[in-house]
Amino acid sequence: MAEHESLEYGKADFVLLDNVSLEEFMANLKLRFEKGRIYSYIGEVVVSVNPYRAMNIYGRDTIEQYKGRELYERPPHLFAIADAAYKAMKRRNKDTCIVISGESGAGKTEASKYIMQYIAAITNPSQRAEVERVKNMLLKSNCVLEAFGNAKTNRNDNSSRFGKYMDINFDFKGDPIGGHISNYLLEKLVKGAPDAQLRALHIQRDPTAYTYIKVGGQIKSSINDSADFKAVTDAMKVIGFTAEEIQTVYKILATILHLGNLKFGSDGDVTLIENSKLVSVLGDLLSTKDENVEKALLYRTVATGRDVIDKQHTHQEASYGRDALAKAIYERLFCWIVGRINDIIEVKNYDARVHGKNTVIGVLDIYGFEIFQNNSFVVFVYSWKQIDYFNNQIIVDLVEQQHKGIFAVLDEACMNVGKVTDEMFLQALNGKLAKHAHYTSRKLSPTDKNLEFDRDFRIRHYAGDVVYSVVGFIDKNKDTLFQDFKRLLYNSSNPVLKAMWPEGKLSITEVTKRPLTAATLFKNSMISLVENLASKEPYYVRCIKPNDVKSPLLFEHERCKHQVEYLGLLENVRVRRAGFANRQTYPRFLQRYKMISEFTWPNHDLSSDKEAVKRLLQGCGFEHDVAYGKTKVFIRTPRTIFSLEEQRAEMVKRIVLFLQKVWRGTLARMRYRRMRAALIIIRAYRRYKVKSYIREVNRRFKNVRGMKDHGKHVKWPTPPKVLRKFEEALRNIYNRWWAWTLIKDLSPEDMVQIRAKVAALESLKGQRADLGLQRAWEGNYLKKDSPGTASSFTLVSSDLQRKDKFMRVLFSCNVRKINRFNKAEDRALLITDRHLYKMDPVKQYKPMKSIPLYNVTGVSISPGKDQLVVFHTKDNRDLIVCLQGMVPAGDSRIGELVGTLLSHFKSEKRKLQVNIVSPIHCSMNGRKCTVVVETKINQSQPDFTKSRSGYILSVPGN
């Protein structure tokens, strides 16, 4: 039962009526209409009453209330049945369809639009562009099809003049991927366009100026034609119609309006067009010659044996041909529009093996017709077969039975040679159907004055009697179009129009097959539709029209009662109350619900599927609500189905988790095996690359001992990535070996010099230009630079060696230094392995002061070519000197001094900090100062001067 509505709105489901009678049904229907509840249920059937007003029950909030809910969880609504059809399609992987029935003006077309809107809104979890395109095309196509397939009638502003069946295709995930539209009938014209476009089409604004729409143009309407025209044009552009195609569509519509205004007259035996100016207008719109248009309207080409002659039409034949052309052009236009839309929205390149099964939801809107006092052939063909028929087979046979049915008699009359009239057709019906209980005419019932002689017949339908007039039956059934018109339109220079008439390519002598009659075409169309629907799981919407004046307040009892009767709604209620809401075959039921019971999951071992279903339902406690047939299980109430679905949904979660666990484990094992295989391959490949590399290194370097440069010229092979560090170590080993080969035969004295040079290179490379590496490092330069006083220096150094016990002289040289009074003076510098001595060369190298070598923490030199050296001490009494008096002049000894000190400190495992900076920061007598080197052009010798921040060493600029 439907929930969430109080009894003040009546019974939401007619199945719950206390007394199933027509009076109670009508009272409940009226109460719900007056309370604004336009939707009701009969079990799973939606009953919809046209409210004739806009209602705020179709927005996004309402959609969310029905999304994923079961049918009876929310109040009755179109969205509920749309969601039920969608869920059934996804759950059972089966095609579904929604059949919307009711007479014209009952709201079927609006219902189909809301159903499509809902389906479009609930499908699109990932916002994919393709899904959005399909939805947009389906909704926009509905706008275009209504514009060209609906008409304004006395009872309905938007009456469908065609039967529309739309399939919406879904992929296995439930997302729409395309669609297909089928049309089953057409008989309407349209109006409306901007002034500029009307002028281009030679059209007036007044609809009463055109014969075909004169009556409709006088009807009071609630539709804004201008707004609708723009909406249709915009929709056609969105769907994908080109500007040329849209212009051709409106040219064809204008052509039809002008055709209706063509008047024929006679001059003796000659038929003429009275308003001949329209011929040139038609020629312009159809992109063909005026004379060809006129000839096709007034003449018919006939083949007699081998001869082809032009036979002039009578006034009546010309009028008939004109009207037939107008109808054919419009019908062909509509079919072309449907075809173009299908080209765009149909599923393309879909492979079920790759993308999963493709399922559809069909929406059918076709059961609309109006019951008039005078019902002609067009109304007759609408009522012959209902999609959801009851026990209506006797009426179906009456209409379409071979050789005896009304269609068969009508087709036989149309194929007879000679003049056949509507009266002759009625006589044939009287002869064939005189004893049929549901057929009568005035001849068969002479006392029935509601029927006219030689004009009317009556069919007693399921819901009541309908009288039909045979006037025009023969002509409308033939509904044939002269081949001259087809050739005229095929030869148009407009490619769009030409493509609509491919059969116009045939010459008159090639056309031999008689075209099918309208009744046969309609019958075939209906058979195709029924076969399509029979393959799908159906859902139903029954639409009711509350009144004929489109009032939102008026509920006409008799009008609605008649519709309830012919829709069979009361019988539907009785069937629902007495019968079972759901039935399924045992295998299908098990396939869906077997996971609920331990006796049926994953497979049962009982004697039959029937026994397995019994065990399952007994375990759930539903045996009181089911019955068991030979091949199917019958379930009485939807509640049982909903409960089964809830239990299934819960178990599916667990199954999915289990499958995910198993699958993830499988994936993990597969990944592990792939990784292990890859690792084995990588290891083997690495071994191969390592071996290849080592073999290549061995090949290139195996004879280096005999090479002149011991392999220095040999190019190293490129190592694999994994051996880059190994190659670096290998190069170091080689370089050490290569160096060893160079120095292995050197004397200890030469080794000392080599180590000093290496130390200087490591410390100063790239920071000082001339390190003196290419010359021999003598160390003790005072004897060389001052040969006249060498004996004095030798004597003093010997005394110091005895006194201080030093082992060897590291370095000696003349220097310019700064004394404690900030004055520059000449001194000699002697560095031994124990002390650093300052000596006065003027006083036979008298030692002035010594600094223990362990007290020296570092040296600073500049990055230039000068010979500035600052010795840093622990007591912040730094020694600032500039080497001078070199022989030869310009010799640089800074590299030798630094390298010798570094090598000595390293041998004693002490660290000496070497700084290459400018300016040099130091301390003199505990005071911070800086030494800056400046170049002066006129300076002959390096010399120190005092500055505000310390000292400046001026060096020659040349």
Side-chain angles (χ1 to χ4, degrees), residues 216-243:
Q218 296 172 337
I219 296 172
K220 183 180 178 181
S221 171
S222 61
I223 290 179
N224 185 332
D225 289 314
S226 298
D228 281 1
F229 182 90
K230 184 178 185 305
V232 171
T233 303
D234 292 342
M236 292 176 75
K237 291 177 181 176
V238 171
I239 290 170
F241 286 80
T242 65

PDB file of all heavy atoms in Angstrom, residues 216-243:
ATOM      1  N   GLY A 216      -8.153  25.331 -36.606  1.00  0.00           N
ATOM      2  CA  GLY A 216      -7.272  25.300 -35.433  1.00  0.00           C
ATOM      3  C   GLY A 216      -6.800  26.689 -35.053  1.00  0.00           C
ATOM      4  O   GLY A 216      -6.576  26.979 -33.883  1.00  0.00           O
ATOM      5  N   GLY A 217      -6.633  27.553 -36.019  1.00  0.00           N
ATOM      6  CA  GLY A 217      -6.160  28.896 -35.737  1.00  0.00           C
ATOM      7  C   GLY A 217      -7.150  29.729 -34.964  1.00  0.00           C
ATOM      8  O   GLY A 217      -6.804  30.738 -34.374  1.00  0.00           O
ATOM      9  N   GLN A 218      -8.427  29.345 -34.975  1.00  0.00           N
ATOM     10  CA  GLN A 218      -9.444  30.101 -34.250  1.00  0.00           C
ATOM     11  C   GLN A 218      -9.669  29.582 -32.839  1.00  0.00           C
ATOM     12  O   GLN A 218     -10.448  30.142 -32.086  1.00  0.00           O
ATOM     13  CB  GLN A 218     -10.771  30.018 -35.031  1.00  0.00           C
ATOM     14  CG  GLN A 218     -10.666  30.678 -36.405  1.00  0.00           C
ATOM     15  CD  GLN A 218     -11.910  30.423 -37.245  1.00  0.00           C
ATOM     16  OE1 GLN A 218     -12.635  29.470 -37.018  1.00  0.00           O
ATOM     17  NE2 GLN A 218     -12.156  31.301 -38.213  1.00  0.00           N
ATOM     18  N   ILE A 219      -8.978  28.478 -32.479  1.00  0.00           N
ATOM     19  CA  ILE A 219      -9.188  27.875 -31.169  1.00  0.00           C
ATOM     20  C   ILE A 219      -8.428  28.675 -30.115  1.00  0.00           C
ATOM     21  O   ILE A 219      -7.279  29.042 -30.293  1.00  0.00           O
ATOM     22  CB  ILE A 219      -8.705  26.414 -31.173  1.00  0.00           C
ATOM     23  CG1 ILE A 219      -9.542  25.604 -32.152  1.00  0.00           C
ATOM     24  CG2 ILE A 219      -8.784  25.808 -29.773  1.00  0.00           C
ATOM     25  CD1 ILE A 219      -9.017  24.207 -32.373  1.00  0.00           C
ATOM     26  N   LYS A 220      -9.087  28.940 -29.003  1.00  0.00           N
ATOM     27  CA  LYS A 220      -8.418  29.598 -27.887  1.00  0.00           C
ATOM     28  C   LYS A 220      -7.370  28.668 -27.305  1.00  0.00           C
ATOM     29  O   LYS A 220      -7.647  27.518 -27.016  1.00  0.00           O
ATOM     30  CB  LYS A 220      -9.440  29.984 -26.818  1.00  0.00           C
ATOM     31  CG  LYS A 220      -8.818  30.740 -25.643  1.00  0.00           C
ATOM     32  CD  LYS A 220      -9.867  31.091 -24.622  1.00  0.00           C
ATOM     33  CE  LYS A 220      -9.235  31.798 -23.431  1.00  0.00           C
ATOM     34  NZ  LYS A 220     -10.231  32.140 -22.409  1.00  0.00           N
ATOM     35  N   SER A 221      -6.151  29.193 -27.138  1.00  0.00           N
ATOM     36  CA  SER A 221      -5.045  28.319 -26.730  1.00  0.00           C
ATOM     37  C   SER A 221      -4.312  28.911 -25.543  1.00  0.00           C
ATOM     38  O   SER A 221      -4.220  30.125 -25.383  1.00  0.00           O
ATOM     39  CB  SER A 221      -4.067  28.134 -27.893  1.00  0.00           C
ATOM     40  OG  SER A 221      -2.913  27.486 -27.464  1.00  0.00           O
ATOM     41  N   SER A 222      -3.738  28.021 -24.733  1.00  0.00           N
ATOM     42  CA  SER A 222      -2.907  28.445 -23.597  1.00  0.00           C
ATOM     43  C   SER A 222      -1.430  28.377 -23.937  1.00  0.00           C
ATOM     44  O   SER A 222      -0.580  28.590 -23.096  1.00  0.00           O
ATOM     45  CB  SER A 222      -3.190  27.549 -22.383  1.00  0.00           C
ATOM     46  OG  SER A 222      -2.869  26.205 -22.693  1.00  0.00           O
ATOM     47  N   ILE A 223      -1.111  28.062 -25.188  1.00  0.00           N
ATOM     48  CA  ILE A 223       0.281  27.866 -25.596  1.00  0.00           C
ATOM     49  C   ILE A 223       0.845  29.156 -26.181  1.00  0.00           C
ATOM     50  O   ILE A 223       0.187  29.837 -26.981  1.00  0.00           O
ATOM     51  CB  ILE A 223       0.383  26.724 -26.632  1.00  0.00           C
ATOM     52  CG1 ILE A 223       0.093  25.391 -25.956  1.00  0.00           C
ATOM     53  CG2 ILE A 223       1.743  26.707 -27.294  1.00  0.00           C
ATOM     54  CD1 ILE A 223       0.140  24.213 -26.894  1.00  0.00           C
ATOM     55  N   ASN A 224       2.067  29.509 -25.808  1.00  0.00           N
ATOM     56  CA  ASN A 224       2.797  30.640 -26.372  1.00  0.00           C
ATOM     57  C   ASN A 224       3.566  30.145 -27.590  1.00  0.00           C
ATOM     58  O   ASN A 224       4.636  29.569 -27.471  1.00  0.00           O
ATOM     59  CB  ASN A 224       3.752  31.229 -25.327  1.00  0.00           C
ATOM     60  CG  ASN A 224       4.444  32.486 -25.826  1.00  0.00           C
ATOM     61  OD1 ASN A 224       4.655  32.661 -27.016  1.00  0.00           O
ATOM     62  ND2 ASN A 224       4.800  33.356 -24.886  1.00  0.00           N
ATOM     63  N   ASP A 225       2.979  30.379 -28.810  1.00  0.00           N
ATOM     64  CA  ASP A 225       3.577  29.815 -30.017  1.00  0.00           C
ATOM     65  C   ASP A 225       4.952  30.393 -30.295  1.00  0.00           C
ATOM     66  O   ASP A 225       5.840  29.690 -30.777  1.00  0.00           O
ATOM     67  CB  ASP A 225       2.655  30.052 -31.221  1.00  0.00           C
ATOM     68  CG  ASP A 225       1.407  29.184 -31.149  1.00  0.00           C
ATOM     69  OD1 ASP A 225       1.558  27.992 -30.855  1.00  0.00           O
ATOM     70  OD2 ASP A 225       0.310  29.697 -31.369  1.00  0.00           O
ATOM     71  N   SER A 226       5.148  31.693 -30.019  1.00  0.00           N
ATOM     72  CA  SER A 226       6.450  32.309 -30.307  1.00  0.00           C
ATOM     73  C   SER A 226       7.550  31.693 -29.453  1.00  0.00           C
ATOM     74  O   SER A 226       8.633  31.356 -29.939  1.00  0.00           O
ATOM     75  CB  SER A 226       6.386  33.819 -30.064  1.00  0.00           C
ATOM     76  OG  SER A 226       5.439  34.416 -30.933  1.00  0.00           O
ATOM     77  N   ALA A 227       7.271  31.538 -28.159  1.00  0.00           N
ATOM     78  CA  ALA A 227       8.267  30.938 -27.265  1.00  0.00           C
ATOM     79  C   ALA A 227       8.541  29.495 -27.652  1.00  0.00           C
ATOM     80  O   ALA A 227       9.687  29.039 -27.653  1.00  0.00           O
ATOM     81  CB  ALA A 227       7.786  31.029 -25.822  1.00  0.00           C
ATOM     82  N   ASP A 228       7.470  28.762 -27.994  1.00  0.00           N
ATOM     83  CA  ASP A 228       7.649  27.366 -28.381  1.00  0.00           C
ATOM     84  C   ASP A 228       8.439  27.243 -29.673  1.00  0.00           C
ATOM     85  O   ASP A 228       9.247  26.337 -29.843  1.00  0.00           O
ATOM     86  CB  ASP A 228       6.281  26.686 -28.552  1.00  0.00           C
ATOM     87  CG  ASP A 228       5.687  26.309 -27.201  1.00  0.00           C
ATOM     88  OD1 ASP A 228       6.330  26.589 -26.183  1.00  0.00           O
ATOM     89  OD2 ASP A 228       4.578  25.736 -27.180  1.00  0.00           O
ATOM     90  N   PHE A 229       8.210  28.178 -30.615  1.00  0.00           N
ATOM     91  CA  PHE A 229       8.942  28.131 -31.886  1.00  0.00           C
ATOM     92  C   PHE A 229      10.436  28.289 -31.644  1.00  0.00           C
ATOM     93  O   PHE A 229      11.252  27.536 -32.188  1.00  0.00           O
ATOM     94  CB  PHE A 229       8.434  29.245 -32.806  1.00  0.00           C
ATOM     95  CG  PHE A 229       9.095  29.239 -34.168  1.00  0.00           C
ATOM     96  CD1 PHE A 229       8.555  28.501 -35.203  1.00  0.00           C
ATOM     97  CD2 PHE A 229      10.259  29.956 -34.401  1.00  0.00           C
ATOM     98  CE1 PHE A 229       9.160  28.485 -36.448  1.00  0.00           C
ATOM     99  CE2 PHE A 229      10.867  29.942 -35.635  1.00  0.00           C
ATOM    100  CZ  PHE A 229      10.317  29.204 -36.667  1.00  0.00           C
ATOM    101  N   LYS A 230      10.796  29.257 -30.797  1.00  0.00           N
ATOM    102  CA  LYS A 230      12.217  29.455 -30.485  1.00  0.00           C
ATOM    103  C   LYS A 230      12.795  28.235 -29.775  1.00  0.00           C
ATOM    104  O   LYS A 230      13.919  27.805 -30.058  1.00  0.00           O
ATOM    105  CB  LYS A 230      12.390  30.693 -29.612  1.00  0.00           C
ATOM    106  CG  LYS A 230      13.865  31.031 -29.323  1.00  0.00           C
ATOM    107  CD  LYS A 230      13.985  32.293 -28.498  1.00  0.00           C
ATOM    108  CE  LYS A 230      15.457  32.673 -28.326  1.00  0.00           C
ATOM    109  NZ  LYS A 230      16.276  31.623 -27.778  1.00  0.00           N
ATOM    110  N   ALA A 231      12.023  27.658 -28.843  1.00  0.00           N
ATOM    111  CA  ALA A 231      12.505  26.480 -28.118  1.00  0.00           C
ATOM    112  C   ALA A 231      12.757  25.316 -29.062  1.00  0.00           C
ATOM    113  O   ALA A 231      13.739  24.585 -28.927  1.00  0.00           O
ATOM    114  CB  ALA A 231      11.485  26.077 -27.044  1.00  0.00           C
ATOM    115  N   VAL A 232      11.861  25.150 -30.062  1.00  0.00           N
ATOM    116  CA  VAL A 232      12.019  24.056 -31.023  1.00  0.00           C
ATOM    117  C   VAL A 232      13.258  24.278 -31.880  1.00  0.00           C
ATOM    118  O   VAL A 232      14.056  23.367 -32.119  1.00  0.00           O
ATOM    119  CB  VAL A 232      10.757  23.924 -31.900  1.00  0.00           C
ATOM    120  CG1 VAL A 232      11.006  22.946 -33.036  1.00  0.00           C
ATOM    121  CG2 VAL A 232       9.582  23.451 -31.061  1.00  0.00           C
ATOM    122  N   THR A 233      13.435  25.516 -32.361  1.00  0.00           N
ATOM    123  CA  THR A 233      14.606  25.816 -33.184  1.00  0.00           C
ATOM    124  C   THR A 233      15.897  25.582 -32.405  1.00  0.00           C
ATOM    125  O   THR A 233      16.846  24.971 -32.915  1.00  0.00           O
ATOM    126  CB  THR A 233      14.549  27.276 -33.673  1.00  0.00           C
ATOM    127  OG1 THR A 233      13.330  27.486 -34.382  1.00  0.00           O
ATOM    128  CG2 THR A 233      15.725  27.588 -34.582  1.00  0.00           C
ATOM    129  N   ASP A 234      15.923  26.049 -31.155  1.00  0.00           N
ATOM    130  CA  ASP A 234      17.116  25.845 -30.327  1.00  0.00           C
ATOM    131  C   ASP A 234      17.360  24.366 -30.083  1.00  0.00           C
ATOM    132  O   ASP A 234      18.505  23.891 -30.101  1.00  0.00           O
ATOM    133  CB  ASP A 234      16.959  26.574 -28.991  1.00  0.00           C
ATOM    134  CG  ASP A 234      16.964  28.088 -29.156  1.00  0.00           C
ATOM    135  OD1 ASP A 234      17.415  28.550 -30.220  1.00  0.00           O
ATOM    136  OD2 ASP A 234      16.520  28.789 -28.236  1.00  0.00           O
ATOM    137  N   ALA A 235      16.274  23.618 -29.833  1.00  0.00           N
ATOM    138  CA  ALA A 235      16.422  22.177 -29.583  1.00  0.00           C
ATOM    139  C   ALA A 235      16.980  21.465 -30.809  1.00  0.00           C
ATOM    140  O   ALA A 235      17.824  20.574 -30.702  1.00  0.00           O
ATOM    141  CB  ALA A 235      15.073  21.569 -29.197  1.00  0.00           C
ATOM    142  N   MET A 236      16.524  21.851 -32.005  1.00  0.00           N
ATOM    143  CA  MET A 236      17.028  21.221 -33.228  1.00  0.00           C
ATOM    144  C   MET A 236      18.522  21.487 -33.393  1.00  0.00           C
ATOM    145  O   MET A 236      19.277  20.609 -33.820  1.00  0.00           O
ATOM    146  CB  MET A 236      16.253  21.741 -34.447  1.00  0.00           C
ATOM    147  CG  MET A 236      14.793  21.298 -34.474  1.00  0.00           C
ATOM    148  SD  MET A 236      13.862  22.010 -35.847  1.00  0.00           S
ATOM    149  CE  MET A 236      14.483  21.054 -37.218  1.00  0.00           C
ATOM    150  N   LYS A 237      18.950  22.693 -33.027  1.00  0.00           N
ATOM    151  CA  LYS A 237      20.383  23.005 -33.121  1.00  0.00           C
ATOM    152  C   LYS A 237      21.184  22.157 -32.139  1.00  0.00           C
ATOM    153  O   LYS A 237      22.245  21.645 -32.479  1.00  0.00           O
ATOM    154  CB  LYS A 237      20.617  24.492 -32.839  1.00  0.00           C
ATOM    155  CG  LYS A 237      20.073  25.410 -33.915  1.00  0.00           C
ATOM    156  CD  LYS A 237      20.263  26.872 -33.530  1.00  0.00           C
ATOM    157  CE  LYS A 237      19.698  27.803 -34.592  1.00  0.00           C
ATOM    158  NZ  LYS A 237      19.793  29.236 -34.189  1.00  0.00           N
ATOM    159  N   VAL A 238      20.656  22.026 -30.904  1.00  0.00           N
ATOM    160  CA  VAL A 238      21.358  21.232 -29.894  1.00  0.00           C
ATOM    161  C   VAL A 238      21.470  19.781 -30.335  1.00  0.00           C
ATOM    162  O   VAL A 238      22.500  19.125 -30.178  1.00  0.00           O
ATOM    163  CB  VAL A 238      20.627  21.328 -28.534  1.00  0.00           C
ATOM    164  CG1 VAL A 238      21.205  20.331 -27.541  1.00  0.00           C
ATOM    165  CG2 VAL A 238      20.746  22.745 -27.981  1.00  0.00           C
ATOM    166  N   ILE A 239      20.375  19.239 -30.894  1.00  0.00           N
ATOM    167  CA  ILE A 239      20.369  17.837 -31.321  1.00  0.00           C
ATOM    168  C   ILE A 239      21.396  17.590 -32.413  1.00  0.00           C
ATOM    169  O   ILE A 239      22.021  16.528 -32.465  1.00  0.00           O
ATOM    170  CB  ILE A 239      18.951  17.441 -31.794  1.00  0.00           C
ATOM    171  CG1 ILE A 239      18.001  17.389 -30.588  1.00  0.00           C
ATOM    172  CG2 ILE A 239      18.957  16.094 -32.497  1.00  0.00           C
ATOM    173  CD1 ILE A 239      16.562  17.237 -30.970  1.00  0.00           C
ATOM    174  N   GLY A 240      21.595  18.588 -33.284  1.00  0.00           N
ATOM    175  CA  GLY A 240      22.596  18.401 -34.329  1.00  0.00           C
ATOM    176  C   GLY A 240      22.108  18.690 -35.734  1.00  0.00           C
ATOM    177  O   GLY A 240      22.804  18.420 -36.711  1.00  0.00           O
ATOM    178  N   PHE A 241      20.893  19.261 -35.878  1.00  0.00           N
ATOM    179  CA  PHE A 241      20.410  19.651 -37.192  1.00  0.00           C
ATOM    180  C   PHE A 241      21.240  20.833 -37.688  1.00  0.00           C
ATOM    181  O   PHE A 241      21.518  21.773 -36.940  1.00  0.00           O
ATOM    182  CB  PHE A 241      18.938  20.064 -37.138  1.00  0.00           C
ATOM    183  CG  PHE A 241      17.981  18.914 -36.975  1.00  0.00           C
ATOM    184  CD1 PHE A 241      17.756  18.329 -35.747  1.00  0.00           C
ATOM    185  CD2 PHE A 241      17.305  18.410 -38.072  1.00  0.00           C
ATOM    186  CE1 PHE A 241      16.885  17.272 -35.592  1.00  0.00           C
ATOM    187  CE2 PHE A 241      16.423  17.349 -37.933  1.00  0.00           C
ATOM    188  CZ  PHE A 241      16.215  16.780 -36.703  1.00  0.00           C
ATOM    189  N   THR A 242      21.619  20.792 -38.974  1.00  0.00           N
ATOM    190  CA  THR A 242      22.375  21.902 -39.539  1.00  0.00           C
ATOM    191  C   THR A 242      21.423  23.053 -39.863  1.00  0.00           C
ATOM    192  O   THR A 242      20.201  22.888 -39.909  1.00  0.00           O
ATOM    193  CB  THR A 242      23.092  21.472 -40.819  1.00  0.00           C
ATOM    194  OG1 THR A 242      22.103  21.140 -41.828  1.00  0.00           O
ATOM    195  CG2 THR A 242      23.975  20.252 -40.562  1.00  0.00           C
ATOM    196  N   ALA A 243      22.013  24.240 -40.073  1.00  0.00           N
ATOM    197  CA  ALA A 243      21.195  25.408 -40.413  1.00  0.00           C
ATOM    198  C   ALA A 243      20.433  25.166 -41.711  1.00  0.00           C
ATOM    199  O   ALA A 243      19.267  25.569 -41.854  1.00  0.00           O
ATOM    200  CB  ALA A 243      22.086  26.650 -40.527  1.00  0.00           C
TER     201      ALA A 243
END
